[in-house]
Amino acid sequence: MMNITHKISTLRKARAEAIVKLSLPETATAVKEGRVPKGNVFEFARAAGLLAIKKTSDLIPDCHPLPVEYAAIRCRLEGLKIIITVDVHTIYKTGVEVEAMHGASVTALTIYDMLKPLDKEIEIDGIRLIDKKGGKSDYMQYAG
Amino acid sequence: MMNITHKISTLRKARAEAIVKLSLPETATAVKEGRVPKGNVFEFARAAGLLAIKKTSDLIPDCHPLPVEYAAIRCRLEGLKIIITVDVHTIYKTGVEVEAMHGASVTALTIYDMLKPLDKEIEIDGIRLIDKKGGKSDYMQYAG
Amino acid sequence: MMNITHKISTLRKARAEAIVKLSLPETATAVKEGRVPKGNVFEFARAAGLLAIKKTSDLIPDCHPLPVEYAAIRCRLEGLKIIITVDVHTIYKTGVEVEAMHGASVTALTIYDMLKPLDKEIEIDGIRLIDKKGGKSDYMQYAG
Amino acid sequence: MMNITHKISTLRKARAEAIVKLSLPETATAVKEGRVPKGNVFEFARAAGLLAIKKTSDLIPDCHPLPVEYAAIRCRLEGLKIIITVDVHTIYKTGVEVEAMHGASVTALTIYDMLKPLDKEIEIDGIRLIDKKGGKSDYMQYAG
Amino acid sequence: MMNITHKISTLRKARAEAIVKLSLPETATAVKEGRVPKGNVFEFARAAGLLAIKKTSDLIPDCHPLPVEYAAIRCRLEGLKIIITVDVHTIYKTGVEVEAMHGASVTALTIYDMLKPLDKEIEIDGIRLIDKKGGKSDYMQYAG
Amino acid sequence: MMNITHKISTLRKARAEAIVKLSLPETATAVKEGRVPKGNVFEFARAAGLLAIKKTSDLIPDCHPLPVEYAAIRCRLEGLKIIITVDVHTIYKTGVEVEAMHGASVTALTIYDMLKPLDKEIEIDGIRLIDKKGGKSDYMQYAG
């Protein structure tokens, strides 16, 4: 694990995205109309994803435990794709990229798990960091 | 999850209370005389409750992970009631009410679990916040 | 921890109930009309409660880990009360009462946490076992 | 959570795959030659992935806890792609697809975390189920 | 992780022992007389050790999750030594040696943590398996 | 749990050591030559140990959760002994001794678990703190 004892706490932000690709238009319609038997897909998966963000350092050996000071998960349907956007902010000595990506991954897996009785061909089509602020490039002194 | 990146760390305290209601005087006597087969009820449940306080953000999706800097759990018997009082302190940007209530809940459930072989009608009769200091009303700059 | 190596696996069911008591009619209205800023209260809390049911033996020292084979959480609003009903089923050697009660407790705490920005006087007004089947009284051989 | 109390335990297998896409040939060379400063990438990530497989029901609300009776994680480098294959077997009443996919996701995230100091453009390029045996189509009585 | 899908469930037992070596007779006296400020050392550590036994497969990558069907932790003081004995039983396809040793280790660390304000030179002087039954040598068919 | 709200954050370091004692020279040779069927022993156990360091406050009731800002685990073979050295650093109000010892313990147990198919007589021969800096004796103001 990297030694961060000498680093300065700054505001760090990361945004990650995961895409869940459905295979059937009927699945998309069921999501849109709130007719998925396992429940309200986006709201249920959002709860799971928020918990997962906070467990990142419990699962990834070299991740530092850090104070997650803001997290938001948004899901939207575009055709046969569910696009998950996860934002995580902290004021700490290291970034929150892996936290955002782990949150996106667990949100996607929860949606996969809720929809697989309806659609056998769902895939998680990429998890990637789409934005990152703070750290070396974006200094801001710790005010807290 | 609320965005707390802009907030200031202050000393925050919360006290929660849970009440375990026994149905049989014999159960109360067994607790008082240390004759419960599963062990020393208050001391055993105290260990479980302390661990639970620290796991709150692992269970409640919108709770921020935070540095629990003091926690104490006290149990006392009053007639057929076991009264559990949980204190949690932190120096952070958000309060510890849910942490104190979750600690009270798990302490109560551990007591319930230890006593149910003796008494089938035990109930957890309310979990509530009884005191809260810090935050907006009780400002104190972070000195640490 | 009780020795259950000699016991027979049977179908066991438990139902627990927790009551969240609101203080303001406006809070009840916000829940009913889906206008709580933190999200869809019942669906979000349901996800947290289901995860908590499965973590019971992680929190309560003497609880046996067991295969949760069914769990359901239902929330309904009656006046100023939110009534949470949790069902847990297993086919195993010991009951699921504490699992159901722990699920009810974490569902209640998640609701408390989502509503406390709107209503400072919320209490969790009792967590209790309301039904239990299987075990000594209701034998059914393990078919799995 | 689906009610599986009436189902029969059979041997269930699932294989999932995740792909980590590097952007720099130097990163691939560092992995191949064992010169990644954070350690032996595949062996380190394998340990994290195995632990994650077992935590799946802790993270995904509707997943049943189940006896993981075999798990294997293999990683190989093909050009700029690291291909992760995860196998999970159980003898139980429900499948292990989500377990295999969650293991693949955490293995991929651990590799991402180890390599990001070397390569800023790494992506996780798809997590998908590639094989599944058992369940309705492949019956085998529980012999254990 | 070893493939155990083809194995037969039998009763398996393991006993592990850990020794905590105190450096000061005053520490032993404080334990004996119940005057340790942090609480009832043996009962408090017993709760932590029981929870740890059940978390073994969460911490050791190749350990199978398994139904802990009995666990007991006993601590006794002999001169300057605290001897911790941990018994774990299961009816499953693999043994519980690591579970017993992990329980002994966490019980010992909890005692260490409670006594270090009194005694700076405490050591954990060995954790070892002292008995093991079941498995190849001691067959018993699964009756459950 | 000790009240540390009034304490000052300083750089704290702890080093712990655990010794795994093998009984067979063949086991030592298998480790040295990378021929252990369960994988690369030191690298695999290092991942498990790092995760365990971060879970210490989850297992030991009175341990404060704290920001682990550096952790390193080194294993070396000396004759029939595997010597595990664990370093943990934090900038916080309390030390990381128990974190280092818990990391050493889980690293040792993972090695034990990987080698027990080869060697039935392995023991964990002592876990002890070997160095500690910071706290009362070694003051350094929190700069972060």
Side-chain angles (χ1 to χ4, degrees):
Chain A
M1 186 189 283
M2 297 273 288
N3 188 337
I4 58 167
T5 51
H6 60 286
K7 297 185 81 175
I8 291 172
S9 287
T10 60
L11 177 62
R12 314 270 191 148
K13 301 180 177 185
R15 172 172 292 176
E17 187 185 271
I19 293 173
V20 177
K21 218 169 62 184
L22 311 175
S23 78
L24 303 172
E26 293 77 4
T27 319
T29 310
V31 171
K32 214 180 315 176
E33 299 181 353
R35 291 186 293 93
V36 173
K38 284 193 165 186
N40 179 328
V41 179
F42 293 171
E43 198 65 3
F44 197 78
R46 190 171 69 87
L50 286 169
L51 288 166
I53 289 167
K54 295 182 283 182
K55 269 178 209 142
T56 304
S57 68
D58 228 42
L59 287 157
I60 312 293
D62 277 331
C63 273
H64 298 86
L66 50 77
V68 173
E69 301 204 335
Y70 172 63
I73 297 177
R74 289 175 193 88
C75 300
R76 67 181 195 276
L77 190 63
E78 288 192 2
L80 288 180
K81 286 184 177 170
I82 294 171
I83 296 158
I84 300 159
T85 312
V86 177
D87 286 282
V88 182
H89 299 183
T90 191
I91 294 179
Y92 195 57
K93 303 174 176 193
T94 182
V96 281
E97 298 96 282
V98 181
E99 281 72 12
M101 290 177 75
H102 185 242
S105 151
V106 169
T107 306
L109 285 165
T110 304
I111 292 176
Y112 172 92
D113 179 60
M114 294 181 88
L115 298 181
K116 78 183 154 63
L118 307 181
D119 188 340
K120 300 296 172 206
E121 306 294 323
I122 297 173
E123 289 191 12
I124 297 174
D125 191 32
I127 300 172
R128 60 200 181 92
L129 186 67
I130 54 175
D131 199 15
K132 179 189 159 179
K133 288 209 179 75
K136 278 174 211 155
S137 50
D138 192 343
Y139 179 93
M140 195 201 104
Q141 182 125 28
Y142 179 32
Chain B
M1 185 189 284
M2 298 272 289
N3 188 337
I4 59 167
T5 51
H6 59 287
K7 297 185 82 175
I8 290 171
S9 287
T10 60
L11 176 62
R12 313 272 191 147
K13 302 180 177 185
R15 172 171 291 176
E17 187 185 271
I19 293 172
V20 177
K21 218 170 61 185
L22 312 176
S23 79
L24 303 172
E26 294 76 4
T27 319
T29 310
V31 171
K32 215 181 314 176
E33 299 180 352
R35 290 186 293 93
V36 174
K38 285 194 165 186
N40 180 328
V41 178
F42 292 171
E43 198 64 2
F44 197 78
R46 190 171 69 87
L50 287 170
L51 288 166
I53 288 167
K54 295 182 283 182
K55 268 177 210 141
T56 304
S57 68
D58 229 42
L59 287 156
I60 311 295
D62 276 332
C63 273
H64 298 87
L66 50 77
V68 173
E69 302 203 335
Y70 172 63
I73 298 177
R74 290 175 193 86
C75 301
R76 67 180 196 275
L77 190 63
E78 288 191 2
L80 288 178
K81 286 184 178 170
I82 294 171
I83 297 158
I84 300 159
T85 313
V86 177
D87 286 281
V88 182
H89 299 183
T90 191
I91 294 181
Y92 195 57
K93 304 174 175 192
T94 182
V96 282
E97 298 96 282
V98 181
E99 283 73 12
M101 290 177 75
H102 184 241
S105 151
V106 169
T107 306
L109 285 165
T110 303
I111 292 176
Y112 173 90
D113 179 60
M114 294 181 87
L115 298 181
K116 77 184 155 63
L118 307 182
D119 188 339
K120 301 297 174 206
E121 306 295 322
I122 297 173
E123 291 191 10
I124 297 175
D125 192 32
I127 300 173
R128 61 199 180 92
L129 186 67
I130 54 174
D131 199 15
K132 179 189 158 181
K133 288 209 179 76
K136 277 174 211 155
S137 50
D138 192 344
Y139 180 94
M140 193 202 106
Q141 183 124 26
Y142 178 39
Chain C
M1 186 189 283
M2 298 273 288
N3 188 337
I4 58 168
T5 52
H6 60 286
K7 297 186 82 175
I8 290 171
S9 287
T10 60
L11 177 61
R12 315 271 189 146
K13 302 180 178 185
R15 172 171 292 177
E17 187 185 272
I19 293 172
V20 177
K21 219 169 62 183
L22 311 175
S23 78
L24 304 172
E26 293 77 3
T27 318
T29 310
V31 170
K32 215 179 315 174
E33 299 180 352
R35 291 187 293 93
V36 173
K38 285 193 165 187
N40 180 329
V41 178
F42 292 173
E43 198 66 2
F44 196 79
R46 190 171 69 86
L50 287 169
L51 288 167
I53 289 167
K54 296 182 282 182
K55 269 178 210 143
T56 304
S57 69
D58 228 43
L59 287 156
I60 312 293
D62 276 331
C63 273
H64 298 86
L66 50 77
V68 173
E69 302 204 335
Y70 172 63
I73 297 177
R74 289 177 193 86
C75 300
R76 66 181 195 276
L77 189 64
E78 287 191 1
L80 289 180
K81 287 184 178 170
I82 294 171
I83 297 158
I84 300 159
T85 314
V86 177
D87 286 281
V88 182
H89 299 184
T90 191
I91 294 179
Y92 195 57
K93 304 174 175 192
T94 182
V96 281
E97 298 96 284
V98 181
E99 281 73 11
M101 290 176 75
H102 184 240
S105 150
V106 169
T107 306
L109 285 165
T110 303
I111 293 176
Y112 173 91
D113 179 60
M114 294 181 87
L115 297 181
K116 76 182 154 65
L118 307 181
D119 188 338
K120 301 296 173 206
E121 306 295 322
I122 297 173
E123 290 191 10
I124 297 174
D125 192 31
I127 299 173
R128 62 201 180 91
L129 187 67
I130 55 176
D131 200 14
K132 179 189 159 180
K133 287 210 179 73
K136 279 173 211 156
S137 50
D138 191 345
Y139 180 94
M140 194 202 105
Q141 182 125 28
Y142 178 39
Chain D
M1 186 188 285
M2 297 273 289
N3 188 337
I4 58 168
T5 52
H6 59 287
K7 297 186 82 175
I8 290 171
S9 287
T10 60
L11 178 62
R12 314 271 189 146
K13 302 181 178 184
R15 172 171 292 176
E17 187 185 272
I19 293 173
V20 177
K21 219 170 61 186
L22 312 176
S23 78
L24 304 172
E26 293 76 5
T27 318
T29 310
V31 170
K32 215 180 314 174
E33 299 180 353
R35 291 186 293 95
V36 173
K38 284 192 166 187
N40 179 328
V41 178
F42 292 172
E43 199 64 3
F44 197 79
R46 190 170 70 87
L50 287 169
L51 288 166
I53 289 167
K54 296 181 282 182
K55 268 177 210 143
T56 304
S57 69
D58 227 43
L59 287 157
I60 312 294
D62 275 332
C63 273
H64 298 87
L66 50 76
V68 173
E69 302 203 336
Y70 173 63
I73 297 177
R74 289 174 194 88
C75 301
R76 66 180 195 275
L77 190 64
E78 288 191 1
L80 288 180
K81 286 184 178 169
I82 294 171
I83 296 158
I84 300 159
T85 314
V86 176
D87 285 282
V88 182
H89 299 183
T90 190
I91 295 179
Y92 195 56
K93 304 175 175 191
T94 183
V96 280
E97 299 97 283
V98 181
E99 282 72 11
M101 289 177 76
H102 185 241
S105 150
V106 169
T107 306
L109 285 165
T110 304
I111 292 176
Y112 173 91
D113 180 59
M114 293 180 88
L115 297 182
K116 77 182 154 64
L118 307 182
D119 188 339
K120 300 295 172 208
E121 306 294 322
I122 297 173
E123 290 191 11
I124 297 174
D125 192 32
I127 300 172
R128 62 202 180 91
L129 186 66
I130 55 175
D131 200 15
K132 178 189 158 179
K133 288 209 179 75
K136 279 173 210 156
S137 51
D138 191 345
Y139 179 93
M140 194 202 105
Q141 182 124 27
Y142 179 38
Chain E
M1 187 190 284
M2 298 273 288
N3 188 338
I4 59 168
T5 52
H6 60 287
K7 297 186 82 176
I8 291 172
S9 288
T10 60
L11 178 61
R12 314 270 189 147
K13 301 180 178 185
R15 172 171 293 177
E17 187 185 272
I19 293 173
V20 177
K21 219 169 62 184
L22 311 175
S23 79
L24 303 172
E26 292 78 3
T27 319
T29 310
V31 171
K32 215 180 315 174
E33 299 180 354
R35 290 186 293 94
V36 173
K38 284 192 165 187
N40 179 329
V41 179
F42 292 171
E43 198 65 3
F44 197 78
R46 190 170 70 86
L50 287 169
L51 288 167
I53 288 167
K54 295 182 283 181
K55 270 178 208 141
T56 304
S57 68
D58 228 43
L59 287 157
I60 312 294
D62 276 331
C63 273
H64 297 87
L66 50 77
V68 173
E69 302 204 335
Y70 172 63
I73 297 177
R74 289 175 193 86
C75 301
R76 65 181 197 276
L77 190 63
E78 287 191 3
L80 288 179
K81 286 184 178 169
I82 295 171
I83 295 158
I84 300 159
T85 312
V86 177
D87 286 281
V88 182
H89 299 183
T90 190
I91 294 180
Y92 195 57
K93 305 174 176 192
T94 183
V96 281
E97 298 96 282
V98 181
E99 281 72 12
M101 290 177 73
H102 185 241
S105 149
V106 169
T107 307
L109 285 165
T110 304
I111 292 176
Y112 173 91
D113 179 60
M114 294 180 88
L115 297 182
K116 77 182 153 67
L118 306 181
D119 188 339
K120 300 296 173 205
E121 306 294 323
I122 297 173
E123 289 191 11
I124 297 174
D125 191 31
I127 300 173
R128 60 201 182 91
L129 187 67
I130 55 175
D131 200 14
K132 179 188 159 180
K133 288 210 179 74
K136 279 173 211 155
S137 51
D138 192 344
Y139 179 94
M140 194 201 104
Q141 183 124 26
Y142 178 38
Chain F
M1 185 189 284
M2 298 272 288
N3 188 338
I4 57 168
T5 52
H6 60 286
K7 297 185 81 175
I8 291 172
S9 287
T10 60
L11 177 63
R12 314 272 190 146
K13 302 180 177 185
R15 172 171 293 176
E17 187 185 271
I19 292 173
V20 177
K21 218 170 61 185
L22 312 175
S23 79
L24 303 171
E26 292 77 3
T27 318
T29 310
V31 171
K32 215 180 314 176
E33 299 180 353
R35 291 186 294 93
V36 173
K38 284 193 166 187
N40 179 328
V41 178
F42 292 171
E43 199 65 3
F44 197 79
R46 190 170 70 86
L50 287 169
L51 288 167
I53 288 168
K54 296 181 283 181
K55 269 178 209 142
T56 304
S57 68
D58 228 43
L59 288 156
I60 312 294
D62 276 331
C63 273
H64 298 87
L66 51 77
V68 172
E69 302 205 335
Y70 172 64
I73 297 177
R74 289 175 193 87
C75 302
R76 65 180 197 275
L77 190 64
E78 288 192 0
L80 288 179
K81 285 184 178 171
I82 294 171
I83 296 157
I84 299 159
T85 313
V86 177
D87 285 282
V88 182
H89 299 184
T90 191
I91 295 180
Y92 195 57
K93 304 175 176 190
T94 183
V96 281
E97 298 96 283
V98 181
E99 282 72 12
M101 290 177 75
H102 184 241
S105 150
V106 169
T107 306
L109 285 165
T110 303
I111 292 175
Y112 173 92
D113 179 59
M114 294 181 88
L115 298 181
K116 77 181 154 64
L118 307 181
D119 188 340
K120 300 296 174 207
E121 306 295 323
I122 297 173
E123 290 191 10
I124 296 174
D125 192 33
I127 300 173
R128 62 200 181 92
L129 186 67
I130 54 174
D131 199 15
K132 179 189 158 182
K133 288 210 179 75
K136 279 174 210 154
S137 51
D138 191 344
Y139 180 94
M140 193 200 106
Q141 182 124 28
Y142 178 37

